């Protein structure tokens, strides 16, 4: 935060940082579903907000890999829909 002794350049830099911070925070909050945001602490700092989200919603790589492998091994070809749709579904997984 600028103080009384701060130069004009420092005050300008802080003003630009404040604007960038608030725009970043708005953009992040708009991309997250409302019911997830309600459980997060209120903050005015985009970096703190992003760190809080990453800690709250951290996913284990092993769990994610296990879920993908089970989805791939359980996928069965249904002749009524065709091979193309089956391949696209497997590719999507």
């Amino acid at each position: 935060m600028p103080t009384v002794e701060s130069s004009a350049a420092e005050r300008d830099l802080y003003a630009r940082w404040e604007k960038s911070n608030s725009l970043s925070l708005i953009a992040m909050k708009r991309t997250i579903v409302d019911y997830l945001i309600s459980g997060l602490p209120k903050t005015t700092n985009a970096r703190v907000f992003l760190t809080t989200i990453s800690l709250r919603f951290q996913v284990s790589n092993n769990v994610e890999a296990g879920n993908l492998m089970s989805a791939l091994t359980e996928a069965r070809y249904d002749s009524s829909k065709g091979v193309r749709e089956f391949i696209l579904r497997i590719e999507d997984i």
Side-chain angles (χ1 to χ4, degrees):
M1 274 192 99
T3 61
V4 178
E5 292 90 27
S6 298
S7 67
E10 289 173 336
R11 286 190 209 121
D12 184 48
L13 178 67
Y14 185 76
R16 287 185 293 154
W17 178 85
E18 277 287 324
K19 183 177 181 179
S20 173
N21 182 60
S22 74
L23 290 175
S24 298
L25 196 58
I26 290 169
M28 285 187 274
K29 286 184 177 182
R30 288 187 69 186
T31 59
I32 298 174
V33 183
D34 289 335
Y35 70 89
L36 293 177
I37 288 181
S38 64
L40 295 172
K42 304 290 183 219
T43 182
T44 58
N45 190 323
R47 183 175 290 169
V48 171
F49 184 74
L50 197 56
T51 303
T52 304
I53 290 173
S54 68
L55 292 174
R56 170 84 48 98
F57 300 106
Q58 192 171 26
V59 178
S60 172
N61 289 336
N62 292 338
V63 172
E64 187 175 354
N67 288 341
L68 292 173
M69 286 306 294
S70 66
L72 284 172
T73 56
E74 292 173 1
R76 299 285 181 243
Y77 171 67
D78 183 11
S79 61
S80 65
K81 294 184 179 179
V83 175
R84 184 176 191 278
E85 284 78 15
F86 177 72
I87 292 171
L88 290 175
R89 189 173 48 151
I90 295 295
E91 184 182 54
D92 186 46
I93 294 173

